[in-house]
């Protein structure tokens, strides 16, 4: 291991960190995991950490990378699951590592090249949005390669002090490294970040066997989960430290409602569980410099925001009304985001003096239901289906308010982008939304702390009430302007959160060194 540094305890530690993820903006992104996988490593690099990001070499990622070079080949042993990954014979049971730089930074990205990733679509599904059936094998390979690098069994001449995994796609790393540890080999410390408990990577016993995972892991204290097994449990059970992306979500997942059957395990591990709020990339999401929007603006030139509203109305073919409250929504159209709740009272919402501009894709039924409203009230609601990075920036800049009626939200980035753009977030009080938006109550408006509209219940009628309140506030220019300025004053840079991750890494190393095998008793 390269514990070269950290001589004086007063100095900031400098670690070698392997950051493993299935998404990385701008190379491969479906949601906030992509943003965080790019902006957190950049912030850690600024704190002088030697960080490398490991992702699959999806063809669309290779295409977007500025320049690439092949830097190593990693051989897969014949025994154990890597030998059975179904790789074509010509790939010779080995994979290549391709190096590139994260665009706009000096952060090194290592991409694992394999036939298993050489497909079009998204990181998880084909062009028609059907999940790949072999995602367990695809991501097990990523985990396995992370372990080979972690244990120094490659020609890369670099070894991490910390392996930082993200979400279920990296959950086996903890379990595999634990196995190294039990064979008296010193392993790096492990940190696992939960971005979303709703995705757990659950597969059958048959797949467990096909992956040739060690049979002793098949018990309900370890990988087994109700007669299947779960990738995310590997991360939760075996990592030295577990964290999630907001303090409130760290509490919520220890309850039955949000824990998806693992609240007991999370409560058992709660001394090693924490919440660190995500930051945002202040360069990419900066209304004063954003190249994707019609007119740049800041707190001092707030009236220029109007130009973006006009451009947005034009883009969506909505009537160019300057004084009508324009609500934006950018999201994966899925259960989590509460779109069905928004639809419950759509008739009443559209009777209010509002327009709605939506960008998203996901659940076909939700897409259809939204489209029906577009057909009925084309002058009030419009939707663009699909993924469009530039338009997502224009929606943040051009909308007056931003809708996030999420049932749960581990952190949420769009409300943070909205605050920075002076676009008032309308959010449910859950997870990171609760931690970052302050409700426009009378008291908060008076003491100038209000930054958005926060509602409690996950119900269509509550969302209607929240939009009603927004509409009333919008009609009072002075109040609305104050809200916008307060929102824009909020600071969500990565600087502080990255420092918290550094402290987490230090704790993880300490925990690894003081390690005693424990059996969860949940
Ligand atoms: P989640 O990760 O649950 O999807 P977040 O709010 O953390 O939610 O992050 C979502 C990210 O994905 C944001 O950067 C948002 O702008 C982006 N995004 C989501 N859907 C789209 C889309 N259809 N087009 C462009 N960007 C999108
Ligand atoms: C997940 C969550 C979202 C969070 C993002 C990045 O996708 O749904 O709330 O902001 O990860 O951590």
């Amino acid at each position: 291991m390269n514990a070269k540094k950290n001589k004086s305890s007063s100095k900031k530690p400098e670690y070698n960190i392997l950051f493993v993820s299935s998404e990385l903006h701008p190379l491969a992104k479906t949601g906030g995991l992509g943003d965080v996988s790019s902006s957190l490593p950049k912030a850690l690099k600024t704190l002088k950490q030697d960080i490398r990001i490991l992702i699959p070499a999806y063809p669309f990622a290779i295409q977007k990378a500025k320049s690439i070079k092949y830097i190593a080949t990693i051989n897969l042993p014949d025994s154990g699951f890597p030998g059975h990954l179904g790789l074509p014979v010509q790939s010779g049971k080995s994979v290549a590592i391709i190096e590139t730089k994260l665009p706009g930074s000096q952060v090194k990205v290592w991409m694992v090249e394999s036939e298993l990733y050489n497909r079009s679509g998204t990181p998880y599904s084909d062009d028609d949005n059907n999940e790949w059936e072999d995602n367990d094998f695809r991501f097990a390979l990523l985990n396995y390669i992370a372990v080979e690098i972690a244990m120094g069994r490659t020609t890369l001449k670099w070894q991490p002090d910390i392996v930082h995994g993200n979400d279920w796609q990296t959950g086996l790393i903890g379990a595999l490294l634990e196995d190294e540890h039990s064979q008296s080999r010193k392993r790096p410390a492990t940190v696992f970040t939960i971005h979303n408990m709703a995705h757990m990577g659950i597969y059958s016993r048959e797949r467990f066997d096909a992956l040739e995972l060690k049979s002793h892991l098949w018990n309900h204290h370890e990988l087994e989960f109700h007669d299947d097994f779960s990738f995310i449990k590997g991360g939760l059970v075996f990592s030295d430290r577990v964290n999630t992306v907001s303090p409130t979500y760290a509490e919520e997942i220890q309850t039955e409602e949000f824990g998806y059957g693992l609240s007991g395990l999370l409560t058992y591990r709660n001394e090693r569980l924490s919440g660190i709020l995500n930051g945002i990339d202040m360069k990419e999401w900066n209304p004063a410099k954003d190249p994707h929007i019609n007119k740049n603006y800041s707190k001092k030139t707030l009236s220029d925001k109007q130009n973006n509203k006009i451009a947005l109305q034009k883009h969506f073919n909505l009537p160019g009304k300057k004084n009508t409250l324009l609500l934006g929504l950018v999201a994966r159209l899925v259960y989590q985001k509460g779109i069905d709740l928004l639809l419950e009272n759509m008739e009443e919402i559209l009777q209010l003096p509002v327009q709605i501009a939506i960008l998203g894709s996901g659940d076909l039924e939700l897409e259809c239901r939204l489209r029906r409203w577009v057909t009925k009230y084309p002058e009030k609601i419009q939707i663009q289906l699909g993924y469009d990075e530039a338009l997502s920036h224009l929606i943040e800049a051009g909308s007056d308010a931003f809708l996030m009626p999420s049932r749960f939200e581990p952190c949420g980035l769009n409300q943070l982008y909205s605050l920075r753009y002076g676009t008032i977030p309308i959010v449910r009080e859950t997870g990171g939304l609760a931690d970052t938006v302050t409700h426009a109550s009378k008291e908060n408006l008076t003491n100038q702390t209000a930054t958005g509209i926060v509602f409690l219940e996950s119900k269509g009628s509550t969302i209607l009430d929240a939009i009603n309140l927004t509409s009333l506030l919008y009609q009072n220019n002075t109040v609305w302007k104050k809200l916008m300025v307060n929102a824009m004053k909020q600071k969500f840079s990565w600087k502080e959160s990255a420092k918290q991750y550094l402290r987490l890494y230090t704790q993880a190393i300490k925990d690894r060194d003081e390690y005693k095998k424990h059996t969860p008793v949940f």
Side-chain angles (χ1 to χ4, degrees):
M1 218 135 303
N2 297 353
K4 46 183 190 233
K5 321 131 197 182
N6 312 329
K7 282 175 206 139
S8 111
S9 54
S10 62
K11 263 180 87 184
K12 241 193 239 113
E14 289 174 25
Y15 297 125
N16 285 0
I17 304 155
L18 184 66
F19 188 93
V20 191
S21 179
S22 56
E23 295 190 27
L24 178 62
H25 172 72
L27 306 182
K29 166 175 161 183
T30 71
L33 174 62
D35 298 61
V36 173
S37 300
S38 143
S39 47
L40 172 57
K42 278 193 217 165
L44 287 165
K45 177 92 183 165
T46 311
L47 294 176
K48 306 225 165 1
Q49 307 305 304
D50 184 352
I51 184 156
R52 323 266 161 130
I53 304 170
L54 188 73
I55 59 166
Y58 310 112
F60 41 90
I62 297 179
Q63 232 171 42
K64 287 189 194 137
K66 290 255 151 56
S67 68
I68 57 167
K69 62 178 179 204
Y70 283 81
I71 55 165
T73 300
I74 298 179
N75 294 317
L76 307 172
D78 282 337
S79 63
F81 69 77
H84 295 262
L85 279 167
L87 297 172
V89 180
Q90 66 268 28
S91 70
K93 300 255 167 70
S94 65
V95 299
I97 302 293
I98 302 172
E99 183 175 282
T100 185
K101 291 256 172 71
L102 185 59
S105 81
Q106 286 306 310
V107 177
K108 283 184 182 166
V109 179
W110 287 345
M111 300 193 276
V112 180
E113 191 187 55
S114 157
E115 283 303 313
L116 290 175
Y117 305 130
N118 193 12
R119 306 167 183 176
S120 67
T122 80
Y124 318 114
S125 52
D126 65 19
D127 292 315
D128 296 325
N129 220 6
N130 302 307
E131 270 198 19
W132 301 115
E133 279 180 8
D134 56 354
N135 274 344
D136 50 351
F137 275 49
R138 296 173 74 237
F139 292 111
L141 176 64
L142 180 69
N143 288 224
Y144 177 76
I145 296 300
V147 169
E148 292 305 288
I149 297 172
M151 297 307 295
R153 293 192 287 255
T154 71
T155 53
L156 286 164
K157 299 199 178 80
W158 183 91
Q159 237 187 304
D161 304 303
I162 306 282
V163 183
H164 183 165
N166 295 275
D167 272 354
W168 76 262
Q169 294 86 356
T170 62
L172 294 182
I173 295 173
L176 294 170
L177 281 178
E178 191 43 49
D179 199 50
E180 302 284 344
H181 192 91
S182 63
Q183 294 179 48
S184 305
R185 289 193 280 267
K186 184 151 188 188
R187 62 162 174 86
T190 46
V191 167
F192 183 75
T193 300
I194 305 163
H195 296 264
N196 200 329
M197 272 306 289
H199 304 292
M200 299 166 66
I202 296 176
Y203 293 93
S204 65
R205 173 78 207 212
E206 220 180 356
R207 302 296 284 181
F208 181 91
D209 292 339
L211 285 168
E212 291 200 8
L213 289 166
K214 297 253 165 82
S215 60
H216 65 79
L217 292 168
W218 190 272
N219 71 78
H220 76 273
H221 298 305
E222 297 182 336
L223 295 191
E224 186 187 351
F225 185 67
H226 301 294
D227 298 332
D228 288 322
F229 82 103
S230 151
F231 273 56
I232 205 171
K233 270 190 91 178
L236 304 183
V237 171
F238 293 105
S239 303
D240 296 309
R241 285 276 159 169
V242 178
N243 82 303
T244 185
V245 287
S246 70
T248 294
Y249 194 60
E251 296 297 322
E252 287 174 341
I253 55 180
Q254 296 178 54
T255 65
E256 263 180 46
E257 186 186 352
F258 296 95
Y260 287 86
L262 291 177
S263 55
L265 167 60
L266 289 161
T267 307
Y268 173 76
R269 293 220 72 199
N270 82 359
E271 280 179 16
R272 307 272 182 108
L273 170 68
S274 59
I276 302 178
L277 205 57
N278 285 334
I280 61 174
D281 189 318
M282 300 292 275
K283 275 196 191 141
E284 285 208 19
W285 293 92
N286 177 4
K289 298 225 168 109
D290 192 330
H292 302 299
I293 67 179
N294 208 258
K295 177 123 192 183
N296 293 118
Y297 63 96
S298 68
K299 280 200 287 295
K300 290 189 189 128
T301 55
L302 254 187
S303 57
D304 287 343
K305 186 168 166 24
Q306 277 287 338
N307 294 53
N308 297 301
K309 179 168 178 175
I310 293 161
L312 186 58
Q313 285 167 328
K314 205 163 165 196
H315 179 93
F316 275 98
N317 251 330
L318 289 164
K321 294 187 180 166
K322 257 173 69 184
N323 297 320
T324 299
L325 175 68
L326 176 52
L327 304 170
L329 192 159
V330 181
R332 295 178 294 113
L333 303 177
V334 294
Y335 175 85
Q336 172 188 351
K337 303 293 175 183
I339 310 293
D340 54 321
L341 303 171
L342 178 69
L343 279 157
E344 272 177 18
N345 287 67
M346 196 54 106
E347 181 69 48
E348 292 91 332
I349 292 172
L350 294 178
Q351 297 310 317
L352 297 171
V354 298
Q355 294 178 332
I356 305 184
I358 300 177
L359 167 65
S361 67
D363 189 302
L364 283 184
E365 195 203 319
L366 288 175
E367 291 184 5
C368 283
R369 287 175 66 193
L370 284 167
R371 270 203 286 215
R372 269 183 240 139
W373 288 106
V374 173
T375 311
K376 190 166 179 193
Y377 294 110
E379 304 214 325
K380 304 219 79 177
I381 177 167
Q382 285 292 336
I383 177 165
Q384 179 169 319
L385 295 175
Y387 187 88
D388 188 333
E389 190 73 30
L391 181 59
S392 73
H393 285 245
L394 183 62
I395 293 180
E396 287 293 4
S399 307
D400 296 303
F402 195 95
L403 285 166
M404 286 185 87
S406 307
R407 281 195 169 78
F408 64 95
E409 198 61 77
C411 178
L413 295 173
N414 277 114
Q415 85 280 14
L416 304 181
Y417 301 147
S418 298
L419 291 168
R420 184 120 210 261
Y421 281 65
T423 300
I424 304 308
I426 305 173
V427 305
R428 179 162 120 76
E429 191 174 23
T430 182
L433 300 175
D435 291 341
T436 55
V437 183
T438 306
H439 181 53
S441 63
K442 268 199 188 127
E443 194 190 347
N444 293 338
L445 283 168
T446 312
N447 65 26
Q448 312 242 5
T449 53
T451 57
I453 316 300
V454 184
F455 58 92
L456 191 58
E457 283 176 306
S458 234
K459 273 193 352 205
S461 57
T462 320
I463 298 172
L464 172 64
D465 291 345
I467 295 178
N468 225 328
L469 173 63
T470 313
S471 169
L472 286 174
L473 293 170
Y474 179 71
Q475 281 156 35
N476 183 331
N477 272 336
T478 321
V479 168
W480 192 259
K481 188 150 183 230
K482 269 194 192 145
L483 260 181
M484 288 168 87
V485 172
N486 283 349
M488 291 176 91
K489 279 188 191 152
Q490 304 306 304
K491 301 243 175 311
F492 292 108
S493 83
W494 266 106
K495 210 168 159 203
E496 277 316 306
S497 299
K499 283 186 193 157
Q500 288 185 50
Y501 272 99
L502 264 191
R503 288 196 283 274
L504 192 69
Y505 295 156
T506 303
Q507 283 164 338
I509 289 175
K510 198 161 160 262
D511 291 345
R512 188 261 329 258
D513 293 341
E514 287 169 3
Y515 171 88
K516 278 190 222 83
K517 177 93 180 145
H518 57 264
T519 309
V521 288
F522 59 93

